[in-house]
Amino acid sequence: MKIILFIILSLILSCSTKRDFPGKDVCYLLYDVKTQRYVEEHNRGRCEMRLPACSTFKVPLAVMAFDSGVLKDENLPVFKWDGQKRMIEAWNQDQTPTTWMRESAVWVSQEITPKLGIKKIEQYLKDFKYGNHDMSGGLKYAWLTPAPFIADSMGNTLKVSAHEQVSFLEKLWQGELKASSQSQILTQKIMAQDTSPRGYTLVGKTGSGFADSHHDLRLGWYIGHLEKDDREYIVVLNFSDKQKVPAGTYAGREAKEMAINLLSERKLW
């Protein structure tokens, strides 16, 4: 009986670990794909909250685009740079599907979405069970928050919760989305990949935005798939700043760093 109680208590503590993230409101989820259980779930209320998808939307968008033939493979088509200088230097050049995803070039997304159309995108999102599947904020802006590099008016209507991100990524890696298997394989292929010192492969996507209209409080996302041998996990982290931070720090990059640090604690990195 004591052994059983100890195991139950360990599972509870493992899943609901309390953490301290000074200056940030954080959701962190670590999901074991093999057991279909959460290894860790920090801040459940926030994890159930739907937030602007930001650039994590590029992952379902890639599936749609490959499935519809808008994207051909990891290298085609080539999206020609329009010569407009944007604040991120890597965006100021021609892009392929791979560079679009890995450099998170917003202008490429804004060329892809009109080719699909709102009705088609919303139907895909419903089929994927991806957030509120609301694109009413506009084909070029629905997934974005207000940002210094966005001059046009827009509405950040497409929102998704951390739990929904986990479910979406699990289906993507199992090939269970309502789309061709090839579109799901190609989407995985163009996502940024890292290999840890312990030999884990992490494939994921960052997302950066702002939690306020003054661009003082950031919103950051990281969603990823972690694998080594027979171990497989989905990791999702998002945060909002509670206080203003120095300009120039991208929230998505910080979210990824936070996720990797948390994986390191469990020797999963």
Side-chain angles (χ1 to χ4, degrees), residues 51-58 61 86-88 91 100 103-111 113 125 130 132 134-160 205-213 215 219 221 250:
L51 300 169
C54 302
S55 283
T56 65
F57 171 62
K58 288 184 176 69
L61 181 58
R86 295 172 174 87
M87 63 182 295
I88 298 176
W91 296 2
W100 159 60
E103 300 296 343
S104 207
V106 172
W107 67 264
V108 177
S109 302
Q110 293 171 328
E111 287 196 11
T113 50
L125 292 172
Y130 186 90
N132 63 358
D134 182 358
M135 291 292 292
S136 64
L139 272 170
K140 295 188 176 183
Y141 304 107
W143 66 95
L144 299 171
T145 69
F149 60 85
I150 298 176
D152 302 35
S153 61
M154 43 74 72
N156 51 319
T157 55
L158 179 60
K159 299 182 179 182
V160 62
K205 184 73 192 77
T206 58
S208 298
F210 292 92
D212 71 320
S213 59
H215 314 147
L219 168 63
W221 278 100
Y250 290 102

Side-chain angles (χ1 to χ4, degrees), residues 170-182:
E170 182 179 24
K171 289 175 184 174
L172 173 61
W173 253 265
Q174 299 294 326
E176 295 176 351
L177 293 174
K178 193 173 179 181
S180 67
S181 58
Q182 184 69 358

Side-chain angles (χ1 to χ4, degrees), residues 24-80:
K24 292 182 176 63
D25 188 14
V26 177
C27 155
Y28 173 61
L29 297 173
L30 181 61
Y31 177 80
D32 188 322
V33 176
K34 302 299 184 184
T35 64
Q36 297 187 316
R37 294 179 181 275
Y38 282 101
V39 177
E40 186 165 350
E41 182 178 25
H42 170 78
N43 200 351
R44 178 175 294 180
R46 181 178 174 89
C47 293
E48 293 174 347
M49 185 187 307
R50 284 175 171 168
L51 300 169
C54 302
S55 283
T56 65
F57 171 62
K58 288 184 176 69
V59 183
L61 181 58
V63 178
M64 301 175 207
F66 281 123
D67 190 59
S68 301
V70 174
L71 300 181
K72 306 303 180 185
D73 57 34
E74 64 268 36
N75 299 311
L76 293 172
V78 174
F79 295 87
K80 294 296 184 180

